[in-house]
Amino acid sequence: MTPSRRPTPQDELLLQVAVGDEAAAREAWATAARGLDIGALPPQAHAVLPLLAAALPRLGYRFADQPRLAGVRKRTWYLNMQRAQALAPVIQRLTRERLEPVVTGGFAVLLLAGDLSLRQLFDVEVALPADAERRRAAYAVLVASGWARSSARRDGALLDLHAERWAR
């Protein structure tokens, strides 16, 4: 949810259905399903839809909007696969150059879960060793692979953190 919008009781119920243990998910669905119109959900609540699409069949529920939920989940998988396919060659090259890339954040969670359809990602985080020599080597790999740095920052509690955004 965005900071400008507080989660509603319906948001919390849908999240409980999506990720709660079976008993809690069933209890939440008993309330959430009444009058649920996924088309009327605010955009900030759409992130839970792929998780809901996975949870309902697992719980044995059929929902009138199940085909729409399945479509959202397929689209999420497709968009995440595009990101993975764009990133894979550069990760492979960084690895060949012994630069030790580590995929982190939301993409790492989806990889560990074995399901790229659970949550749409808008970026992929990759951690690299921070020493200057390997950073320069990583930059060279990224630039040679068609990527360009779009922003950089060094702030926060971990002042040794170098966070950069690259785009292709």
Side-chain angles (χ1 to χ4, degrees):
M1 304 301 143
T2 63
S4 61
R5 180 180 174 271
R6 299 183 70 70
T8 66
Q10 184 180 42
D11 293 337
E12 292 175 6
L13 287 169
L14 293 176
L15 190 59
Q16 188 67 21
V17 173
V19 299
D21 64 58
E22 186 173 344
R26 287 182 182 286
E27 184 177 327
W29 184 245
T31 303
R34 282 182 250 151
L36 177 61
D37 176 5
I38 64 170
L41 291 174
Q44 299 90 337
H46 291 181
V48 77
L49 296 179
L51 290 165
L52 195 59
L56 291 175
R58 187 180 63 245
L59 294 167
Y61 291 123
R62 296 188 56 78
F63 175 54
D65 272 342
Q66 193 74 22
R68 289 177 72 195
L69 287 175
V72 169
R73 188 171 178 201
K74 286 177 187 174
R75 182 175 186 275
T76 300
W77 174 87
Y78 175 76
L79 293 171
N80 287 344
M81 279 301 294
Q82 285 185 314
R83 286 174 182 80
Q85 288 173 343
L87 187 64
V90 77
I91 292 292
Q92 291 167 352
R93 186 153 179 210
L94 290 165
T95 301
R96 277 195 309 274
E97 298 289 331
R98 294 188 165 86
L99 295 172
E100 305 173 29
V102 177
V103 175
T104 64
F107 200 73
V109 171
L110 294 179
L111 290 173
L112 286 171
D115 189 345
L116 295 182
S117 71
L118 295 177
R119 177 177 172 254
Q120 185 176 349
L121 300 173
F122 297 95
D123 56 19
V124 177
E125 296 146 4
V126 178
L128 293 161
D131 66 84
E133 182 180 331
R134 291 202 289 185
R135 190 173 352 164
R136 280 191 298 275
Y139 289 175
V141 167
L142 289 164
V143 169
S145 299
W147 293 76
R149 187 169 74 170
S150 58
S151 65
R153 69 170 223 249
R154 186 174 178 201
D155 59 0
L158 303 172
L159 292 178
D160 60 341
L161 174 68
H162 296 270
E164 301 182 6
R165 181 175 296 269
W166 290 70
R168 197 176 101 184

